[in-house]
Amino acid sequence: QGQLVESGGGVVQPGRSLRLSCAATGFTLSSYAMHWVRQAPGRGLEWVAVTSYDGGHNYYADSVKGRFTISRDNSKSTLYLQMGSLIAEDTAVYYCARGDCSSTSCRRFDYWGQGTLVTVSS
Amino acid sequence: DIQMTQSPSSLSASVGDRVTITCRASQSISNNLNWYQQRPGNAPNLLIYTAFSLQSGVPSRFSGSGSGTDFTLTISSLQPEDFATYYCQQSYSTPPTFGQGTKVEIK
């Protein structure tokens, strides 16, 4: 049974940076595409980014393109989201989620972490 | 981007009721439609994939149907643990997009 555990959330000032991590256990991370999905307080789900099984292909939502970078270290079974130039609208719970296969076209999310809260505020 | 529209946004129902939630895509997505359940304070959980396939471990009272642009999630007999918010999501193209959610509340 796969498990994902996010960390790295917290309160950060506008314009600053933050890096989220997602540790994977119970499955071979290097076999799957991985995604970040976020949820603003009281709002719905918004897809943020995806990385292919080897990190060779990445795609982003327009709302974060140029500010966020998704990456992975399969040797550490860990996914990352480097967030920069943060704005208030980035305030959300950030979930990592496993894609159902290895490429970036694997857009079904079959395992989710518990989420980590990022609050952008001065 | 493909827009997903769910209806209703919320509903009130009693234990044992049959509940139906609909989801419409702004263009054809074939059967690339998934449903998730999110209980308060928890992460979403995959219920149905490719429009009608039941994810392992999900009770058989959940079912999905549809193709093209119109889809339905049905709960045949609502149980206390089913009170939650339900989201549809298209996996046809990037960016994957979600409906706005349907909150199922206790009547």
Side-chain angles (χ1 to χ4, degrees):
Chain A
Q1 189 79 345
Q3 187 175 11
L4 299 168
V5 178
E6 301 93 338
S7 60
V11 180
V12 60
Q13 293 179 329
R16 304 298 292 264
S17 299
L18 197 66
R19 188 178 82 159
L20 306 182
S21 300
C22 169
T25 58
F27 67 95
T28 303
L29 185 70
S30 59
S31 295
Y32 294 91
M34 294 296 296
H35 300 257
W36 288 97
V37 177
R38 69 184 180 182
Q39 186 170 36
R43 304 297 295 273
L45 300 165
E46 180 189 16
W47 174 82
V48 173
V50 61
T51 183
S52 60
Y53 72 102
D54 62 354
H57 297 276
N58 303 319
Y59 295 96
Y60 300 91
D62 286 345
S63 58
V64 307
K65 198 174 298 182
R67 300 188 299 120
F68 290 11
T69 301
I70 189 171
S71 63
R72 62 196 298 158
D73 186 339
N74 287 335
S75 68
K76 296 182 178 179
S77 294
T78 303
L79 173 74
Y80 302 101
L81 184 68
Q82 180 70 44
M83 303 185 295
S85 302
L86 284 162
I87 59 178
E89 289 74 20
D90 295 320
T91 294
V93 173
Y94 284 75
Y95 298 100
C96 60
R98 193 181 83 169
D100 56 298
C101 53
S102 62
S103 78
T104 56
S105 62
C106 304
R107 309 176 191 98
R108 178 169 84 222
F109 313 123
D110 58 2
Y111 286 101
W112 297 66
Q114 85 290 348
T116 187
L117 176 62
V118 174
T119 302
V120 182
S121 173
S122 55
Chain B
D1 298 0
I2 298 175
Q3 184 173 1
M4 307 300 294
T5 304
Q6 287 180 234
S7 61
S9 295
S10 65
L11 64 90
S12 295
S14 301
V15 172
D17 284 353
R18 182 182 182 89
V19 169
T20 299
I21 299 169
T22 63
C23 178
R24 175 164 288 177
S26 60
Q27 67 182 72
S28 177
I29 57 171
S30 185
N31 66 342
N32 295 287
L33 191 283
N34 310 302
W35 290 97
Y36 301 86
Q37 177 193 64
Q38 186 177 33
R39 297 189 178 107
N42 286 359
N45 181 50
L46 179 64
L47 295 177
I48 302 281
Y49 61 95
T50 57
F52 58 84
S53 298
L54 201 64
Q55 177 72 349
S56 176
V58 173
S60 59
R61 62 181 179 273
F62 291 93
S63 64
S65 65
S67 67
T69 60
D70 294 309
F71 302 87
T72 299
L73 173 69
T74 300
I75 310 172
S76 60
S77 178
L78 200 66
Q79 298 302 300
E81 59 268 30
D82 301 336
F83 291 96
T85 299
Y86 294 85
Y87 294 93
C88 63
Q89 176 244 333
Q90 64 82 13
S91 49
Y92 180 80
S93 65
T94 297
T97 47
F98 295 86
Q100 80 279 14
T102 296
K103 186 174 184 179
V104 177
E105 299 176 302
I106 301 173
K107 181 183 286 184

PDB file of all heavy atoms in Angstrom, chain B residues 12 19 29 36-38 41-42 46 62 65 68 72 87 90 94 103 105 107:
ATOM      1  N   SER B  12     -28.830  17.964   0.172  1.00  0.00           N
ATOM      2  CA  SER B  12     -29.129  17.372   1.469  1.00  0.00           C
ATOM      3  C   SER B  12     -29.872  16.066   1.243  1.00  0.00           C
ATOM      4  O   SER B  12     -30.806  16.019   0.438  1.00  0.00           O
ATOM      5  CB  SER B  12     -29.986  18.313   2.314  1.00  0.00           C
ATOM      6  OG  SER B  12     -29.285  19.484   2.632  1.00  0.00           O
ATOM      7  N   VAL B  19     -28.496   8.917  -4.374  1.00  0.00           N
ATOM      8  CA  VAL B  19     -27.965  10.244  -4.678  1.00  0.00           C
ATOM      9  C   VAL B  19     -27.283  10.206  -6.047  1.00  0.00           C
ATOM     10  O   VAL B  19     -26.526   9.266  -6.348  1.00  0.00           O
ATOM     11  CB  VAL B  19     -26.965  10.693  -3.597  1.00  0.00           C
ATOM     12  CG1 VAL B  19     -26.209  11.936  -4.037  1.00  0.00           C
ATOM     13  CG2 VAL B  19     -27.689  10.945  -2.277  1.00  0.00           C
ATOM     14  N   ILE B  29     -14.380  14.301 -23.675  1.00  0.00           N
ATOM     15  CA  ILE B  29     -13.204  13.729 -23.003  1.00  0.00           C
ATOM     16  C   ILE B  29     -13.245  12.201 -23.052  1.00  0.00           C
ATOM     17  O   ILE B  29     -12.573  11.528 -22.263  1.00  0.00           O
ATOM     18  CB  ILE B  29     -13.077  14.218 -21.545  1.00  0.00           C
ATOM     19  CG1 ILE B  29     -14.343  13.878 -20.736  1.00  0.00           C
ATOM     20  CG2 ILE B  29     -12.792  15.716 -21.500  1.00  0.00           C
ATOM     21  CD1 ILE B  29     -14.185  14.146 -19.234  1.00  0.00           C
ATOM     22  N   TYR B  36     -13.674  11.654  -7.146  1.00  0.00           N
ATOM     23  CA  TYR B  36     -12.982  11.614  -5.858  1.00  0.00           C
ATOM     24  C   TYR B  36     -13.954  12.001  -4.746  1.00  0.00           C
ATOM     25  O   TYR B  36     -14.850  12.830  -4.951  1.00  0.00           O
ATOM     26  CB  TYR B  36     -11.796  12.585  -5.834  1.00  0.00           C
ATOM     27  CG  TYR B  36     -10.755  12.308  -6.894  1.00  0.00           C
ATOM     28  CD1 TYR B  36     -10.898  12.830  -8.174  1.00  0.00           C
ATOM     29  CD2 TYR B  36      -9.633  11.520  -6.631  1.00  0.00           C
ATOM     30  CE1 TYR B  36      -9.960  12.567  -9.156  1.00  0.00           C
ATOM     31  CE2 TYR B  36      -8.690  11.254  -7.609  1.00  0.00           C
ATOM     32  CZ  TYR B  36      -8.868  11.782  -8.868  1.00  0.00           C
ATOM     33  OH  TYR B  36      -7.935  11.523  -9.848  1.00  0.00           O
ATOM     34  N   GLN B  37     -13.716  11.426  -3.578  1.00  0.00           N
ATOM     35  CA  GLN B  37     -14.441  11.787  -2.371  1.00  0.00           C
ATOM     36  C   GLN B  37     -13.467  12.485  -1.424  1.00  0.00           C
ATOM     37  O   GLN B  37     -12.342  12.003  -1.241  1.00  0.00           O
ATOM     38  CB  GLN B  37     -14.989  10.538  -1.684  1.00  0.00           C
ATOM     39  CG  GLN B  37     -15.703  10.786  -0.362  1.00  0.00           C
ATOM     40  CD  GLN B  37     -15.936   9.486   0.396  1.00  0.00           C
ATOM     41  OE1 GLN B  37     -14.996   8.804   0.813  1.00  0.00           O
ATOM     42  NE2 GLN B  37     -17.199   9.128   0.568  1.00  0.00           N
ATOM     43  N   GLN B  38     -13.906  13.588  -0.832  1.00  0.00           N
ATOM     44  CA  GLN B  38     -13.065  14.266   0.158  1.00  0.00           C
ATOM     45  C   GLN B  38     -13.875  14.513   1.422  1.00  0.00           C
ATOM     46  O   GLN B  38     -14.825  15.300   1.417  1.00  0.00           O
ATOM     47  CB  GLN B  38     -12.494  15.580  -0.374  1.00  0.00           C
ATOM     48  CG  GLN B  38     -11.505  16.214   0.583  1.00  0.00           C
ATOM     49  CD  GLN B  38     -10.876  17.483   0.050  1.00  0.00           C
ATOM     50  OE1 GLN B  38     -11.497  18.242  -0.670  1.00  0.00           O
ATOM     51  NE2 GLN B  38      -9.614  17.727   0.406  1.00  0.00           N
ATOM     52  N   GLY B  41     -11.208  17.751   6.273  1.00  0.00           N
ATOM     53  CA  GLY B  41      -9.896  17.610   6.883  1.00  0.00           C
ATOM     54  C   GLY B  41      -9.024  16.522   6.304  1.00  0.00           C
ATOM     55  O   GLY B  41      -7.899  16.321   6.764  1.00  0.00           O
ATOM     56  N   ASN B  42      -9.544  15.825   5.300  1.00  0.00           N
ATOM     57  CA  ASN B  42      -8.787  14.719   4.693  1.00  0.00           C
ATOM     58  C   ASN B  42      -8.428  15.022   3.251  1.00  0.00           C
ATOM     59  O   ASN B  42      -8.997  15.921   2.617  1.00  0.00           O
ATOM     60  CB  ASN B  42      -9.624  13.427   4.726  1.00  0.00           C
ATOM     61  CG  ASN B  42      -9.706  12.846   6.110  1.00  0.00           C
ATOM     62  OD1 ASN B  42      -9.135  13.384   7.061  1.00  0.00           O
ATOM     63  ND2 ASN B  42     -10.424  11.746   6.241  1.00  0.00           N
ATOM     64  N   LEU B  46      -9.640   8.519  -4.483  1.00  0.00           N
ATOM     65  CA  LEU B  46     -10.182   8.088  -5.776  1.00  0.00           C
ATOM     66  C   LEU B  46     -11.275   7.043  -5.574  1.00  0.00           C
ATOM     67  O   LEU B  46     -11.062   6.024  -4.921  1.00  0.00           O
ATOM     68  CB  LEU B  46      -9.055   7.512  -6.633  1.00  0.00           C
ATOM     69  CG  LEU B  46      -9.429   6.985  -8.018  1.00  0.00           C
ATOM     70  CD1 LEU B  46      -9.940   8.110  -8.909  1.00  0.00           C
ATOM     71  CD2 LEU B  46      -8.206   6.313  -8.667  1.00  0.00           C
ATOM     72  N   PHE B  62     -21.275   2.724  -4.848  1.00  0.00           N
ATOM     73  CA  PHE B  62     -20.830   3.800  -5.734  1.00  0.00           C
ATOM     74  C   PHE B  62     -20.759   3.277  -7.164  1.00  0.00           C
ATOM     75  O   PHE B  62     -20.237   2.183  -7.415  1.00  0.00           O
ATOM     76  CB  PHE B  62     -19.445   4.314  -5.327  1.00  0.00           C
ATOM     77  CG  PHE B  62     -19.424   5.060  -4.025  1.00  0.00           C
ATOM     78  CD1 PHE B  62     -19.142   4.404  -2.841  1.00  0.00           C
ATOM     79  CD2 PHE B  62     -19.690   6.419  -3.981  1.00  0.00           C
ATOM     80  CE1 PHE B  62     -19.126   5.072  -1.635  1.00  0.00           C
ATOM     81  CE2 PHE B  62     -19.673   7.107  -2.784  1.00  0.00           C
ATOM     82  CZ  PHE B  62     -19.389   6.437  -1.601  1.00  0.00           C
ATOM     83  N   SER B  65     -21.175   6.527 -14.580  1.00  0.00           N
ATOM     84  CA  SER B  65     -21.589   6.285 -15.959  1.00  0.00           C
ATOM     85  C   SER B  65     -21.323   7.529 -16.789  1.00  0.00           C
ATOM     86  O   SER B  65     -21.011   8.596 -16.248  1.00  0.00           O
ATOM     87  CB  SER B  65     -23.071   5.906 -16.006  1.00  0.00           C
ATOM     88  OG  SER B  65     -23.881   6.993 -15.577  1.00  0.00           O
ATOM     89  N   GLY B  68     -18.096  11.015 -23.308  1.00  0.00           N
ATOM     90  CA  GLY B  68     -18.181  12.239 -24.100  1.00  0.00           C
ATOM     91  C   GLY B  68     -18.108  13.460 -23.210  1.00  0.00           C
ATOM     92  O   GLY B  68     -17.029  13.834 -22.749  1.00  0.00           O
ATOM     93  N   THR B  72     -22.103  10.841 -14.676  1.00  0.00           N
ATOM     94  CA  THR B  72     -22.909  10.752 -13.460  1.00  0.00           C
ATOM     95  C   THR B  72     -22.217   9.877 -12.432  1.00  0.00           C
ATOM     96  O   THR B  72     -21.660   8.825 -12.772  1.00  0.00           O
ATOM     97  CB  THR B  72     -24.288  10.151 -13.771  1.00  0.00           C
ATOM     98  OG1 THR B  72     -24.970  10.986 -14.704  1.00  0.00           O
ATOM     99  CG2 THR B  72     -25.126  10.035 -12.512  1.00  0.00           C
ATOM    100  N   TYR B  87     -15.754  15.335  -6.125  1.00  0.00           N
ATOM    101  CA  TYR B  87     -15.187  16.072  -7.256  1.00  0.00           C
ATOM    102  C   TYR B  87     -15.059  15.159  -8.465  1.00  0.00           C
ATOM    103  O   TYR B  87     -14.594  14.018  -8.340  1.00  0.00           O
ATOM    104  CB  TYR B  87     -13.789  16.598  -6.925  1.00  0.00           C
ATOM    105  CG  TYR B  87     -13.742  17.641  -5.845  1.00  0.00           C
ATOM    106  CD1 TYR B  87     -13.537  17.302  -4.513  1.00  0.00           C
ATOM    107  CD2 TYR B  87     -13.870  18.997  -6.159  1.00  0.00           C
ATOM    108  CE1 TYR B  87     -13.477  18.270  -3.523  1.00  0.00           C
ATOM    109  CE2 TYR B  87     -13.812  19.974  -5.182  1.00  0.00           C
ATOM    110  CZ  TYR B  87     -13.607  19.596  -3.861  1.00  0.00           C
ATOM    111  OH  TYR B  87     -13.544  20.566  -2.881  1.00  0.00           O
ATOM    112  N   GLN B  90     -11.188  15.548 -15.100  1.00  0.00           N
ATOM    113  CA  GLN B  90     -10.887  14.991 -16.414  1.00  0.00           C
ATOM    114  C   GLN B  90      -9.404  14.692 -16.509  1.00  0.00           C
ATOM    115  O   GLN B  90      -8.556  15.498 -16.101  1.00  0.00           O
ATOM    116  CB  GLN B  90     -11.353  15.926 -17.546  1.00  0.00           C
ATOM    117  CG  GLN B  90     -10.686  17.283 -17.634  1.00  0.00           C
ATOM    118  CD  GLN B  90      -9.325  17.266 -18.354  1.00  0.00           C
ATOM    119  OE1 GLN B  90      -8.952  16.279 -19.014  1.00  0.00           O
ATOM    120  NE2 GLN B  90      -8.566  18.353 -18.231  1.00  0.00           N
ATOM    121  N   THR B  94      -3.792  17.812 -20.474  1.00  0.00           N
ATOM    122  CA  THR B  94      -3.118  18.701 -19.516  1.00  0.00           C
ATOM    123  C   THR B  94      -3.512  20.136 -19.811  1.00  0.00           C
ATOM    124  O   THR B  94      -3.461  20.547 -20.972  1.00  0.00           O
ATOM    125  CB  THR B  94      -1.593  18.518 -19.612  1.00  0.00           C
ATOM    126  OG1 THR B  94      -1.269  17.167 -19.238  1.00  0.00           O
ATOM    127  CG2 THR B  94      -0.856  19.479 -18.690  1.00  0.00           C
ATOM    128  N   LYS B 103     -21.110  19.094  -2.396  1.00  0.00           N
ATOM    129  CA  LYS B 103     -21.111  18.763  -0.974  1.00  0.00           C
ATOM    130  C   LYS B 103     -22.396  18.025  -0.632  1.00  0.00           C
ATOM    131  O   LYS B 103     -23.503  18.550  -0.850  1.00  0.00           O
ATOM    132  CB  LYS B 103     -20.976  20.026  -0.130  1.00  0.00           C
ATOM    133  CG  LYS B 103     -20.814  19.745   1.361  1.00  0.00           C
ATOM    134  CD  LYS B 103     -20.540  21.021   2.132  1.00  0.00           C
ATOM    135  CE  LYS B 103     -20.289  20.753   3.601  1.00  0.00           C
ATOM    136  NZ  LYS B 103     -19.989  22.005   4.351  1.00  0.00           N
ATOM    137  N   GLU B 105     -24.677  16.707   2.210  1.00  0.00           N
ATOM    138  CA  GLU B 105     -24.924  16.977   3.628  1.00  0.00           C
ATOM    139  C   GLU B 105     -26.084  16.143   4.150  1.00  0.00           C
ATOM    140  O   GLU B 105     -26.927  15.661   3.382  1.00  0.00           O
ATOM    141  CB  GLU B 105     -25.216  18.469   3.812  1.00  0.00           C
ATOM    142  CG  GLU B 105     -24.059  19.367   3.383  1.00  0.00           C
ATOM    143  CD  GLU B 105     -24.384  20.841   3.465  1.00  0.00           C
ATOM    144  OE1 GLU B 105     -25.355  21.269   2.811  1.00  0.00           O
ATOM    145  OE2 GLU B 105     -23.661  21.567   4.196  1.00  0.00           O
ATOM    146  N   LYS B 107     -29.563  15.482   5.767  1.00  0.00           N
ATOM    147  CA  LYS B 107     -30.850  16.176   5.870  1.00  0.00           C
ATOM    148  C   LYS B 107     -31.365  16.056   7.292  1.00  0.00           C
ATOM    149  O   LYS B 107     -31.334  14.968   7.881  1.00  0.00           O
ATOM    150  CB  LYS B 107     -31.857  15.581   4.889  1.00  0.00           C
ATOM    151  CG  LYS B 107     -33.214  16.259   4.909  1.00  0.00           C
ATOM    152  CD  LYS B 107     -34.199  15.589   3.980  1.00  0.00           C
ATOM    153  CE  LYS B 107     -33.881  15.917   2.536  1.00  0.00           C
ATOM    154  NZ  LYS B 107     -34.893  15.339   1.605  1.00  0.00           N
TER     155      LYS B 107
END
